[in-house]
Amino acid sequence: MSAASPRPAAGRSLPAAAPPGDPSVGAHLGLAAALLLLPAVASGFILVQIGAQSLILGLLALSLMVLAGYGGMISLAQITVAGIAGYTVAILGENSVAVHGFGWPWWLTVPVAITFAALGAALIGWISVRTQGIYTIMITLAIATAMSLFAQQNYTLFNGFEGFAGIPAPTLFGQRLRAPMAFYYLCLGVAALCYVAVLYGARSTFGLGLQATRDNQRRMRALGFDTTAHKVFAWFLAGIIAGLAGVLLVWFQGRISPGTIGVAAAINILVIAVVGGLRHPIGPFLGAVVVVLIQTFATDVVGAARHNTLIGITFLVIVYFSPDGLLGLWSRFQGQFRQNPLRPGDGA
Amino acid sequence: MTATRRTILALGASMAMAWPLTALASDPIRIGLLATFEGAFTALGEDGQRGAMAALAEFGAEAGGRPIEVIVASSTGAPDSALLAARRLVEQDGVSILVGPLSGSEGLAVRDYAREHPAVAFINGSSGAQDTTLRNPADNFYRFSTEGVQWMAGLGTYAYEERGYRTVAILGEDYSFPYSQVMGFMLEFCEAGGRVPAKFWVPIGTNDYSSVIAALPEDVDAIFVSLGGADAVNFLTQYQQSGGVAPLLAGSTTVDQTVLSAEGRLRTGLIGVASASPVAGTNDAPEWLEFVAAYRQQPGALAAPSLFAHAYYIGMKAALLAVEETGGDFGDNGENLHAALAGLEFVTPTGPVRLDHNRQAIADIFLTEIVEAEDGGLTSRIVRVTSGVNQTLGMDEAEFLAMGSPSRDNPSCE
């Protein structure tokens, strides 16, 4: 959706998503049923390593999609925000490396972790909102790199290269949340919640304001909107999503170390978002499933030594045939060509 | 690469997979091979794989009357990636034995993971962090290769007494394996009376060492360097280009065959450098020569097997010997396999190996010096052999444990 295209009804301002006849309700129900029934047919490995991991990485890419798709701000620091939450859980909760580990219960560590993550995200946003385009990417990349290197060098707080291990997921009503099915449903629940929240938020006054700011910041400012505050608040909200993902990530791995939040991980999130498509919140999850499947099984196809080549080629092919990622391919199948809000020169 | 089959299928149908794992006597035994094929340690992982495959070839890809299927997975050197790869091998591919990983901190992560799957045997590749087996060991994690502290046996004493070094500065990568190497070196060196006034720790994958080189003190007798793979090549090249002349002492991986085989102008500065390692290039024991011949059959083999090829060879061979001993029947929870592994003693290319009560190898270590090989390349010459080196370097275990884990600041003798 860009300012240059004739704008349909306000309620339709969300990019893509609603082809004619609006089958999205049916599609959503079908998808939800498939995801809910997956544990009936899939092994524990598929549920956790593919399913839960895709949902977690999808959440992270979703937080990027919120900023990039609706706000026009491409952030490479979402993994850093997740890292803030993850490290907070490790430090305040339990871990097995005998550094910190204050043993707070999960219902205390999780809200604190997510608050820290959201505030951290707002801070990163506040630093970077005055820049645009490639400068935002550079600033957030610098922050992500600095944060990961700092965690690697610092032993008093972050325990250096080793990081924290032995971080347990909580047990709820006698059910270990890290058990494959429970963890899958947990991730699915959180992802669904965030997905719906993003869909709703994009249609809200704030969401429309954010998209309008993306399309024409000067006009919005002239109309009396505080565009900077709008953007920083978007960072805060995206930070909540990334923080949730961070908590799930640290429960998933049972550990966190600088490698978890390194540059490779940051770029991985961007790749997921781009592969999936940034026009609709379902894109990041699609991208995550594809990327996780490739990363898990590429070694079987081309051997361990060359599997990164296959990942790279797949990425290139998807982006070459569809600059809008998998979502773009989908809408192409639908015979629709919509404009990518991120593509420069689309108006704005 | 045995793992090409089957996975086009896996990619497509993976959402609907839940195949049962029922073992028949004629079914292949699956062994996972976890090594590093990405990042700064890629060359090391590739050579590790050659070593493991040499052991497999020795057994004709069969042990205990059952064919052996090796499934390869890659990590980056970071603990997270090793954990993902190990999970995949164990939970998806259903391996009974996992050989790996390569790097120190990866070993700690895989050791922790091993506890979740007590039936599976985890046999270390070349990862050399001491704590993996010394502190809080896992019952089903075995290390038939020696580790970072053991590898330094003899070097500290030699540096003090025969090279006459009194003060040594230290440069290493900032993680568990170099900490172990530095501890192994310093225990002897400080005991002999030497001092270590400065230590420099750099992140894995550092490309530019100019600031570190500028900060290295000039009033020390030598610099002890513990960097691996691409890091070692980068530092050594830049150190020579910047005119560095201080004598070097090297960690086991720093002058390993993976580094000595690198192209470039490393040569002159490395000749005469003292090191200690579980392998030595000029070893002329028949077991070693046999191993070298078998290793050279592998595609892309280096001039001589590196310590990674050696460690993975030993790990894979231990796995296959244990499978032989069980006759292919591991028992319901792998108890036969574990019993066979725990009691296993065999002769490696570098001498006999046996396990201690923590399932950690006790074996011989070579004190070496870098010399020019007959073919014009570089190799390591044996100065002396320290026999039967254990994890505490002969110290009382309680006393050794009381010193604490190797870290940036431990030990210290400024």
Side-chain angles (χ1 to χ4, degrees):
Chain A
M1 178 65 45
S2 83
S5 61
R7 184 178 285 258
R12 300 288 293 269
S13 77
L14 190 73
D22 199 0
S24 70
V25 174
H28 278 131
L29 286 178
L31 185 63
L35 288 172
L36 283 171
L37 292 177
L38 184 64
V41 291
S43 66
F45 175 83
I46 297 293
L47 281 185
V48 174
Q49 191 105 333
I50 306 295
Q53 193 183 194
S54 299
L55 289 164
I56 294 169
L57 294 178
L59 272 172
L60 273 168
L62 176 68
S63 80
L64 168 58
M65 180 268 160
V66 168
L67 292 176
Y70 300 130
M73 302 171 282
I74 298 177
S75 161
L76 280 172
Q78 295 314 103
I79 191 77
T80 309
V81 177
I84 294 173
Y87 268 109
T88 309
V89 168
I91 291 168
L92 297 183
E94 287 174 47
N95 68 61
S96 67
V97 297
V99 178
H100 307 300
F102 296 119
W104 290 14
W106 69 271
W107 46 264
L108 209 55
T109 55
V110 170
V112 172
I114 291 166
T115 311
F116 279 6
L119 291 176
L123 183 66
I124 298 172
W126 184 69
I127 294 169
S128 60
V129 284
R130 279 153 229 277
T131 60
Q132 281 187 333
I134 197 163
Y135 300 101
T136 313
I137 300 179
M138 290 308 296
I139 283 192
T140 51
L141 176 63
I143 290 170
T145 313
M147 204 41 208
S148 139
L149 283 178
F150 180 67
Q152 189 166 323
Q153 300 289 317
N154 180 290
Y155 273 75
T156 42
L157 188 58
F158 293 100
N159 199 33
F161 185 85
E162 222 59 62
F164 295 94
I167 306 159
T171 299
L172 214 58
F173 308 118
Q175 171 64 50
R176 270 179 62 237
L177 284 186
R178 186 57 181 76
M181 199 186 295
F183 192 65
Y184 171 75
Y185 279 126
L186 174 70
C187 293
L188 186 60
V190 174
L193 205 68
C194 292
Y195 174 76
V196 171
V198 169
L199 277 182
Y200 172 80
R203 290 174 163 90
S204 70
T205 319
F206 166 74
L208 294 176
L210 183 66
Q211 291 167 71
T213 306
R214 170 197 71 200
D215 292 340
N216 196 332
Q217 182 161 349
R218 286 165 75 185
R219 182 182 293 176
M220 284 299 281
R221 209 178 284 149
L223 287 171
F225 285 86
D226 186 343
T227 54
T228 303
H230 253 80
K231 287 177 163 184
V232 173
F233 190 60
W235 274 87
F236 180 84
L237 294 178
I240 293 176
I241 298 174
L244 280 165
V247 172
L248 292 174
L249 189 65
V250 83
W251 286 347
F252 166 62
Q253 288 282 44
R255 57 176 303 120
I256 185 163
S257 58
T260 318
I261 58 169
V263 175
I267 289 173
N268 200 28
I269 301 301
L270 182 65
V271 168
I272 286 170
V274 172
V275 163
L278 290 168
R279 298 189 310 165
H280 186 273
I282 199 67
F285 293 103
L286 283 178
V289 170
V290 169
V291 168
V292 167
L293 278 176
I294 295 175
Q295 284 175 347
T296 308
F297 294 110
T299 53
D300 287 350
V301 182
V302 290
R306 292 284 169 270
H307 77 277
N308 275 330
T309 314
L310 180 70
I311 295 169
I313 289 173
T314 313
F315 177 62
L316 280 179
V317 166
I318 291 177
V319 175
Y320 178 79
F321 284 105
S322 169
D324 295 346
L326 294 170
L327 279 181
L329 283 180
W330 175 250
S331 53
R332 202 171 290 199
F333 282 129
Q334 304 259 317
Q336 286 192 345
F337 292 90
R338 283 168 186 257
Q339 284 171 300
N340 177 0
L342 283 178
R343 201 184 298 148
D346 255 11
Chain B
M1 222 77 44
T2 42
T4 14
R5 359 102 287 162
R6 180 198 109 198
T7 310
I8 299 163
L9 195 151
L11 262 172
S14 56
M15 298 308 278
M17 274 187 302
W19 48 58
L21 296 167
T22 43
L24 296 173
S26 59
D27 279 353
I29 290 171
R30 294 184 156 188
I31 298 184
L33 178 66
L34 170 56
T36 304
F37 301 107
E38 306 160 51
F41 296 158
T42 305
L44 289 51
E46 288 169 354
D47 212 44
Q49 184 178 13
R50 283 179 209 119
M53 290 308 174
L56 190 70
E58 194 178 309
F59 282 74
E62 196 183 279
R66 290 169 67 180
I68 303 289
E69 186 184 356
V70 172
I71 300 165
V72 184
S74 169
S75 64
T76 65
D80 290 60
S81 72
L83 193 56
L84 285 178
R87 269 205 203 115
R88 200 214 109 167
L89 288 171
V90 172
E91 296 173 28
Q92 175 66 17
D93 296 317
V95 301
S96 324
I97 302 171
L98 187 148
V99 179
L102 181 127
S103 178
S105 296
E106 294 184 325
L108 293 166
V110 170
R111 188 263 328 253
D112 290 339
Y113 173 67
R115 289 185 235 277
E116 292 175 30
H117 294 275
V120 178
F122 292 80
I123 300 176
N124 187 55
S126 58
S127 119
Q130 178 165 62
D131 280 353
T132 312
T133 49
L134 186 63
R135 289 180 174 81
N136 198 10
D139 292 337
N140 55 336
F141 190 96
Y142 305 84
R143 184 152 59 182
F144 286 91
S145 54
T146 37
E147 40 84 344
V149 174
Q150 292 172 292
W151 290 351
M152 288 287 99
L155 184 62
T157 314
Y158 173 78
Y160 186 87
E161 286 176 0
E162 288 173 45
R163 291 285 175 106
Y165 301 149
R166 293 295 175 264
T167 53
V168 169
I170 280 173
L171 168 65
E173 286 146 339
D174 198 1
Y175 74 103
S176 53
F177 170 68
Y179 300 160
S180 295
Q181 291 255 284
V182 167
M183 177 179 241
F185 169 74
M186 284 180 65
L187 283 179
E188 286 188 15
F189 185 68
C190 299
E191 173 77 19
R195 287 191 312 110
V196 175
K199 293 182 190 165
F200 298 87
W201 301 109
V202 297
I204 294 179
T206 299
N207 294 318
D208 182 359
Y209 287 88
S210 51
S211 60
V212 175
I213 290 169
L216 286 171
E218 290 186 354
D219 57 349
V220 291
D221 298 330
I223 299 166
F224 176 91
V225 183
S226 178
L227 303 169
D231 289 346
V233 175
N234 284 336
F235 169 76
L236 293 168
T237 313
Q238 291 171 27
Y239 186 64
Q240 282 173 34
Q241 281 168 354
S242 69
V245 289
L248 299 180
L249 292 163
S252 313
T253 56
T254 312
V255 288
D256 180 58
Q257 199 62 44
T258 47
V259 175
L260 297 181
S261 301
E263 307 284 327
R265 301 194 301 153
L266 287 173
R267 303 181 41 76
T268 47
L270 277 180
I271 291 176
V273 167
S275 180
S277 170
V279 297
T282 61
N283 193 344
D284 55 6
E287 296 88 6
W288 175 258
L289 297 177
E290 218 171 277
F291 169 54
V292 173
Y295 164 83
R296 287 206 175 125
Q297 302 294 316
Q298 296 298 320
L302 308 174
S306 67
L307 74 83
F308 301 96
H310 174 256
Y312 271 87
Y313 171 84
I314 291 178
M316 184 60 88
K317 183 157 183 177
L320 296 171
L321 285 171
V323 172
E324 283 281 337
E325 204 174 310
T326 62
D329 176 17
F330 296 165
D332 292 339
N333 293 309
E335 61 273 1
N336 298 346
L337 179 64
H338 288 300
L341 280 168
L344 192 61
E345 287 183 28
F346 64 106
V347 178
T348 72
T350 51
V353 63
R354 62 195 162 86
L355 297 185
D356 68 10
H357 59 283
N358 286 335
R359 294 158 299 284
Q360 163 65 41
I362 300 173
D364 298 348
I365 299 297
F366 302 95
L367 178 65
T368 62
E369 185 182 43
I370 304 306
V371 293
E372 194 162 355
E374 284 162 13
D375 62 1
L378 294 174
T379 188
S380 52
R381 182 180 71 81
I382 301 176
V383 176
R384 72 170 68 104
V385 184
T386 316
S387 302
V389 177
N390 73 0
Q391 216 172 3
T392 58
L393 300 179
M395 283 173 69
D396 176 59
E397 189 172 325
E399 197 184 319
F400 190 91
L401 285 172
M403 291 191 306
S405 297
S407 72
R408 279 180 167 184
D409 309 316
N410 186 35
S412 162
C413 62
E414 293 183 2

